[in-house]
Amino acid sequence: MLTDKKKKYLLVGLVAFSVLLTSLSFYFYQAFFSPNTLVDRDNPEIFTIPTGSSFDEVRDRLIATGVVNEIITFSFVAKVMSYTESVKPGRYTIQPKMSNRELVTLLRSGMQTPVNITFNNIRLPEELAGKITSNLEMEQGDFLSLLEDGAFLEKYDFDTLSVMSMFIPNTYEVYWNLRPVELFDRMYREYNQFWTEERKAKAAQLQMSPLEVSTLASIVQAETNKADERPVVAGVYINRLDRNMPLQADPTLLFALGDFSIRRVLNVHKEVESPYNTYKYAGLPPGPINLPEISSLEAVLNFQEHNYLYFCAKEDFSGYHAFARTLREHLNNARRYQNALNASKIYR
């Protein structure tokens, strides 16, 4: 039988235990459910975790960037929720006033916020590599090395001259930390989705492969930035191909020379020895001279039928072209343009 003294001790112990339990419960609740991210901010913030990061590195960056307000409770919750051994790299959107439980759940799940990649106005592989990786974790050089790896490109049925046609300029949603090979796989899927049976049938009617369509579309795009004029220009080149006439496309010379600053193509430029010299060699060059936009690809597939074989810039400097059926008509158009150039103060 308990004495009064023992009862008193027991009561004190129960009270102390109750207080301790209440304190622990309050601490656990605070640690798990109280707001602890961006507590003084109103806007979400992107937080990236590089591949290979340890928990300690993630924790240190969370506090250094001010994403997490109180790091001890975060570390405690991360340990309890087994995040310390399951860090997942990626790009995450952290909302203001998230609790530690919400933050750890997000980071542990690997539910990234995708990033948009956009590429256009590109001529060379190094330009593509720079633009396509600019918002990604991967290094530009790692992606460029694949663009220049003939053995690697074989599995996609491309080579170093044709691979640029695989990349259809557009905006794509991808994960920030995807690997270079994964990005190649994604672009190959997009390429195959673009080349529907209907588009392949149109290419076949032109007696062209998708690569040849892309190559011609790149020339058309380089000749005019007027989307409504591209089907007409495409028609000119298709007429010349049908007659086995050299394309005589100035942009292919600039590509062959590697000098895109040339304003006027001279006879000396036409002597460059290159399969891209369409003054010397009939037919299409071995690959595209830029990344043709969808509008340029469609311009070739849906070219305007006409009898034009020549074109030159209009003398009004509108950016449009004057088209001709005969060489005499073309020379007259060219003369008018040259006279306008000579009379213009801008071009003196």
Side-chain angles (χ1 to χ4, degrees):
M1 187 171 180
L2 295 175
T3 63
D4 290 343
K5 189 174 183 180
K6 287 182 178 180
K7 287 180 180 180
K8 184 176 180 181
Y9 286 148
L10 180 60
L11 180 60
V12 170
L14 288 173
V15 170
F17 178 76
S18 177
V19 170
L20 178 61
L21 184 61
T22 300
S23 298
L24 287 174
S25 298
F26 180 74
Y27 176 79
F28 269 79
Y29 181 86
Q30 290 286 93
F32 273 81
F33 299 106
S34 292
N36 196 33
T37 65
L38 307 173
V39 292
D40 298 323
R41 308 181 205 175
D42 297 322
N43 298 317
E45 186 166 312
I46 296 296
F47 182 77
T48 56
I49 300 177
T51 299
S53 295
S54 66
F55 171 74
D56 288 347
E57 290 170 330
V58 174
R59 178 199 61 206
D60 292 346
R61 287 190 62 244
L62 283 169
I63 194 66
T65 56
V67 171
V68 166
N69 185 55
E70 210 289 301
I71 201 63
I72 294 176
T73 56
F74 168 79
S75 301
F76 171 73
V77 172
K79 183 68 174 178
V80 172
M81 295 180 66
S82 303
Y83 174 62
T84 54
E85 303 301 325
S86 58
V87 172
K88 293 182 174 64
R91 179 179 182 270
Y92 301 91
T93 299
I94 311 300
Q95 299 294 337
K97 300 174 181 60
M98 293 175 72
S99 67
N100 286 322
R101 180 178 177 275
E102 291 172 323
L103 177 58
V104 171
T105 298
L106 171 65
L107 299 181
R108 191 180 63 174
S109 71
M111 293 179 61
Q112 297 186 52
T113 299
V115 61
N116 288 332
I117 57 173
T118 301
F119 50 90
N120 51 31
N121 298 323
I122 289 170
R123 296 187 183 100
L124 303 173
E126 49 267 34
E127 293 175 337
L128 173 61
K131 216 162 196 179
I132 204 171
T133 63
S134 60
N135 291 330
L136 302 178
E137 180 185 29
M138 74 178 69
E139 294 293 331
Q140 173 181 342
D142 293 339
F143 192 78
L144 179 59
S145 67
L146 296 185
L147 286 172
E148 297 174 340
D149 186 341
F152 169 77
L153 297 176
E154 284 182 4
K155 74 173 185 176
Y156 301 97
D157 294 323
F158 288 99
D159 58 31
T160 55
L161 298 179
S162 63
V163 66
M164 295 288 276
S165 65
M166 192 183 89
F167 295 84
I168 310 294
N170 212 332
T171 297
Y172 301 96
E173 195 175 77
V174 300
Y175 288 124
W176 171 76
N177 63 315
L178 84 170
R179 295 174 299 151
V181 172
E182 293 172 328
L183 182 54
F184 251 90
D185 290 341
R186 169 66 185 280
M187 292 296 100
Y188 186 57
R189 290 196 301 271
E190 296 290 347
Y191 172 83
N192 288 324
Q193 288 177 14
F194 173 82
W195 281 105
T196 61
E197 292 304 317
E198 179 183 0
R199 288 188 173 116
K200 287 179 182 178
K202 287 183 177 181
Q205 288 175 356
L206 295 171
Q207 298 184 326
M208 289 186 185
S209 66
L211 168 60
E212 290 171 324
V213 171
S214 295
T215 300
L216 181 53
S218 72
I219 297 173
V220 170
Q221 180 168 294
E223 290 284 17
T224 178
N225 59 11
K226 305 294 185 183
D228 59 334
E229 191 182 52
R230 286 174 181 168
V232 189
V233 174
V236 171
Y237 285 128
I238 288 172
N239 287 342
R240 295 181 76 93
L241 288 170
D242 288 345
R243 291 164 174 78
N244 201 32
M245 296 174 63
L247 296 184
Q248 297 184 329
D250 290 354
T252 64
L253 293 182
L254 305 188
F255 185 85
L257 293 163
D259 185 353
F260 303 105
S261 65
I262 296 173
R263 297 289 298 274
R264 294 191 187 187
V265 171
L266 306 175
N267 287 333
V268 66
H269 299 138
K270 299 175 185 178
E271 297 304 315
V272 61
E273 182 52 48
S274 168
Y276 290 90
N277 185 342
T278 55
Y279 280 84
K280 273 192 174 185
Y281 301 104
L284 292 165
I289 60 173
N290 57 50
L291 292 193
E293 300 167 0
I294 291 176
S295 65
S296 299
L297 294 165
E298 293 288 5
V300 173
L301 294 173
N302 302 283
F303 72 98
Q304 185 179 120
E305 294 187 30
H306 51 63
N307 295 319
Y308 298 133
L309 292 172
Y310 307 90
F311 64 93
C312 72
K314 279 190 172 182
E315 68 272 17
D316 61 2
F317 307 126
S318 63
Y320 284 94
H321 293 80
F323 296 87
R325 295 173 177 81
T326 67
L327 180 58
R328 176 176 291 183
E329 290 177 10
H330 173 63
L331 292 176
N332 288 334
N333 291 335
R335 189 177 299 109
R336 280 193 291 270
Y337 178 65
Q338 289 298 328
N339 289 339
L341 280 180
N342 294 333
S344 172
K345 293 180 180 180
I346 298 175
Y347 291 91
R348 283 182 180 173

